[in-house]
Every structure is written in structure tokens, then in C-alpha cells.
Amino acid sequence: MKGFQFSKFLPNERPKGGFDEMLKLFTQLLNYTAGDAGEALAWMNELDKQYKFTNNDYGMGDFMEDLKEKGYLTEENGETKITAKTEQTIRQSALEEIFGRLKKAGKGNHNSNISGIGEEKNADRREFNFGDSLDQIDMTASIHNAQINHGIGNFTLTERDLEVEEKDYKTLTSTVLMIDISHSMILYGEDRITPAKKTAMALAELIRTKYPKDTLDIVVFGNDAWPITIKDLPYLQVGPYHTNTFAGLELATDLLRRRKTHNKQIFMITDGKPTCLKENGRYYKNSVGLDRKVIAKTLNMAAQCKRLNIPITTFMIAKDPYLQQFVRQFTEINGGRAFYSSLNGLGEYIFEDYIKNRRRTVR
């Protein structure tokens, strides 16, 4: 019989603040500096003065050299820039941060209230019914039930002892993630764009690694709307823009029309109201209150998405009552969902909703 072998415990003698720990800090800072390596390193120097995470054996110069040797930094025209390896590290870091919190929190159930033969086990158990396939039967639990019900002296297994294990079907899903990059995303002393793009990077990495057959398109919207790639996310910044929600939805719908999957959805991260339209090459803007013209076109677009069976899930990161009222009206017309999320909970909400939406369960 195999046992455990114990060896003498040798504590990690790597200096506190070694490369791995400093790399985590560096990738976090890159989120706030929009991928500017020079600025992130300058911040690290300042933080080192206060918290002293380097020492006589491993300093900032050593860390910078290691970043270059390990392929995280490169020099282009005398400027220090991050590499594709660093971009992927940032996405993985965001995924670990958000998905780790999600698993610890255990917020809610991913499964629907209808289940059956599928690809992935869930926690549901029930008695055997005529028509259930044999591979659904949990034999260990069924034998256990038989022993409890009939005793172990004369073993008997009846139909009533059989316990069926439910499974979920996974479905292919096409998602468009819309990110508001209007100026209000950094107003009032609150950085709203960094949590939004960190969530986008984590979602992109989740789909790439766990659901590679799903598709994710990312759309940013200010005065206009345009698609960006996953590579662009670390460098995303807010601009001096108004909020053209209509343009974002129009582009998102066009992207989803080209996808061949049956399940399509839009996730929209925003903190404000629609304030802008583009008509005949000119911008129509009004930031005062809720402009009737802008709101009407935006709500019409929500209704069009409903006709195309594209639900919109809005993640609202502003608490103004009149803005929340608009979101409720928008959601009712589309038949989608709305979450009024704090910045800290944004990632967990989106992950919960994404994983739930991409599963269907049948009996």
C-alpha cells in the first residue's frame, strides 16, 4: 500500500519582493497606465521607496533586466514597451483575480431549473424514471441506497434505489462586450474604465481557454463606436467623448448577425445615459437630462435587438435614480437583464451571467 513520504521543510529563501511577486504588481500597474511600461516602472520605483519590496540582493534594476530576458519587455526606437507575452499575462492575472473571487463567493447557481442528459455534471439528483439512460445512473449512490433500504445481508437493488445524476448541455454562444469609454468613466474622482477593461480581459481569457468554440467581440463606444481586438485591451483609455449608445448597439448587432451560432447576447458596461447620435455625418449631443430624441432612438435599437433574439445585459455602474430608471425601461423593452453593480463586483456579475447564459439544460 502506498503511503506518504515526508521530507524536511525548507523555507523559501527567495528574497521578499522577488521577480514573481514584483511581476504581479507590474501587471496590475499596467492596467492603470493603459499599457505604458515606462510609467508603470516609475510607479514601482515610487512604491518601492515607501514599501521597500526590493533589497540589497534584488533591486529594481535586476527586475527590469529579468523582464527583458524573460520576454516581457522590449526596446523599440529607444522606448520600452510590453510584449505579447505581457499582454497574455495581464489577461491571465485578471482571470485569476475575478474567477478566484467568484469561486470563493459561490454566488448563485449556474444551472437552470430544467436539466437532464448532458455534458457536464451538476449537483442535482433524483429517482430513476422510465426513459432515463443507463449512463445517467450514479451506481455508487444507488448501491448505497439499496444497502440502506434493504440491508446488506441479502443484497437487493430495485428501481426505487436507483439514483440519477443530472447533467447540463453546453451551448455555443456568441457574445459582444460593449464598453463605454465616454469621459464620465473617469469623472468624479472614480476610475471606472480600469475595472471594465480588466473584466473584458478576464472574460476574453476565460473564453479562449475554457470555451474556445465561443466567440467574443469587443466594441467600445463614445461619440462613435468601433471594434477592438483583445490585443488592444491593455491600452484602452477613456476619451473626451459623449455617449453614443445607439452606435454601439448598432455595431454589436451587425457583428452578431455574421455569427452562425443560435445563442447571441450583448453585455454592455456603462455608467451613464445616452447623450449623442450621429446623423448625416454630424453629431447631435445633449448632456443635460435625458434627451428625448437620443433616448427614443436608443430604445428603438433595444427593441430591434429583441426582434433578432439578442438579449442585452446592462451592467450599470452609476447609482443616479433617473439613470437607473432609464436602464429599467431599456431592459423591459429588450427583455434582457440589468445589474446595478459596484466596481468591485463587476467581474463576478459578468462571469456569473456569461456561464449561466451559455448553458441550456434538457430532461
Side-chain angles (χ1 to χ4, degrees):
M1 178 179 175
K2 281 191 172 183
F4 295 99
Q5 288 187 338
F6 295 92
S7 59
K8 184 178 179 181
F9 172 69
L10 297 174
N12 187 356
E13 298 179 358
R14 187 178 60 190
K16 182 181 178 182
F19 178 79
D20 290 338
E21 293 177 10
M22 292 175 68
L23 179 62
K24 291 178 183 178
L25 175 60
F26 179 61
T27 54
Q28 286 290 331
L29 291 174
L30 286 171
N31 288 316
Y32 294 95
T33 64
D36 188 326
E39 186 178 355
L41 290 170
W43 282 18
M44 287 191 70
N45 271 315
E46 293 301 316
L47 290 170
D48 185 31
K49 292 177 185 177
Q50 183 174 355
Y51 297 103
K52 298 179 173 58
F53 47 77
T54 64
N55 53 43
N56 293 338
D57 297 320
Y58 194 84
M60 279 296 299
D62 297 313
F63 175 63
M64 293 170 66
E65 286 301 316
D66 283 348
L67 286 174
K68 293 174 183 176
E69 288 180 9
K70 296 176 186 290
Y72 291 97
L73 289 183
T74 185
E75 294 282 344
E76 292 183 13
N77 301 321
E79 185 180 355
T80 303
K81 294 186 176 181
I82 62 175
T83 63
K85 182 178 181 179
T86 311
E87 294 166 359
Q88 184 177 5
T89 302
I90 297 172
R91 295 197 301 270
Q92 290 173 340
S93 175
L95 176 60
E96 290 168 7
E97 177 186 339
I98 293 173
F99 206 59
R101 285 203 302 259
L102 180 64
K103 288 193 290 186
K104 288 178 184 177
K107 296 164 47 178
N109 184 1
H110 295 318
N111 307 317
S112 74
N113 57 1
I114 303 174
S115 54
I117 306 172
E119 302 171 4
E120 184 172 313
K121 297 178 182 178
N122 64 34
D124 296 333
R125 295 288 190 275
R126 60 176 173 81
E127 289 186 5
F128 177 86
N129 293 324
F130 179 77
D132 290 332
S133 64
L134 294 179
D135 63 353
Q136 285 183 265
I137 298 173
D138 185 336
M139 291 307 300
T140 302
S142 299
I143 292 171
H144 178 69
N145 293 338
Q147 291 175 336
I148 292 174
N149 295 335
H150 312 294
I152 58 175
N154 184 17
F155 179 74
T156 303
L157 180 67
T158 68
E159 182 177 324
R160 291 190 60 189
D161 302 321
L162 297 179
E163 187 169 312
V164 168
E165 187 177 50
E166 300 282 29
K167 296 181 180 180
D168 294 329
Y169 274 116
K170 294 179 182 178
T171 60
L172 298 182
T173 302
S174 291
T175 303
V176 173
L177 179 61
M178 290 174 51
I179 303 176
D180 184 349
I181 58 167
S182 62
H183 187 55
S184 60
M185 291 287 279
I186 55 169
L187 281 180
Y188 317 116
E190 188 172 43
D191 176 13
R192 297 166 175 173
I193 189 63
T194 299
K197 70 179 182 181
K198 186 183 290 188
T199 297
M201 287 188 287
L203 184 60
E205 191 67 11
L206 174 74
I207 292 173
R208 190 187 69 83
T209 56
K210 192 171 182 181
Y211 308 117
K213 293 183 180 179
D214 284 7
T215 66
L216 175 67
D217 292 287
I218 303 168
V219 169
V220 295
F221 62 104
N223 291 347
D224 298 286
W226 60 94
I228 63 171
T229 66
I230 294 172
K231 270 181 60 70
D232 299 326
L233 281 170
Y235 312 101
L236 189 61
Q237 299 183 65
V238 167
Y241 305 127
H242 285 68
T243 308
N244 192 343
T245 308
F246 174 85
L249 292 171
E250 188 175 43
L251 176 57
T253 304
D254 287 342
L255 291 170
L256 288 173
R257 278 198 186 102
R258 302 171 196 169
R259 298 298 183 184
K260 304 301 181 183
T261 52
H262 292 292
N263 297 323
K264 301 175 182 182
Q265 61 185 351
I266 295 173
F267 287 168
M268 179 169 65
I269 304 173
T270 183
D271 73 332
K273 61 196 175 186
T275 59
C276 178
L277 295 171
K278 192 172 185 179
E279 300 178 317
N280 301 318
R282 299 182 64 182
Y283 295 107
Y284 173 87
K285 304 174 184 177
N286 182 8
S287 300
V288 180
L290 292 172
D291 184 281
R292 182 177 298 179
K293 182 177 180 179
V294 177
I295 295 301
K297 288 205 69 172
T298 304
L299 294 178
N300 285 340
M301 196 67 216
Q304 182 177 335
C305 288
K306 182 178 183 179
R307 289 192 294 271
L308 294 171
N309 295 318
I310 301 174
I312 303 167
T313 303
T314 305
F315 297 90
M316 185 67 168
I317 49 180
K319 299 178 182 178
D320 309 67
Y322 81 101
L323 294 180
Q324 293 188 359
Q325 183 180 357
F326 159 71
V327 171
R328 281 193 291 270
Q329 184 182 6
F330 178 90
T331 302
E332 183 179 351
I333 288 174
N334 173 256
R337 286 172 301 277
F339 295 92
Y340 304 96
S341 171
S342 68
L343 293 174
N344 291 333
L346 179 64
E348 291 94 308
Y349 275 116
I350 288 184
F351 271 48
E352 281 279 351
D353 211 52
Y354 175 78
I355 294 172
K356 181 179 179 181
N357 288 355
R358 75 174 307 279
R359 293 182 180 179
R360 64 178 174 87
T361 47
V362 295
R363 191 174 292 280

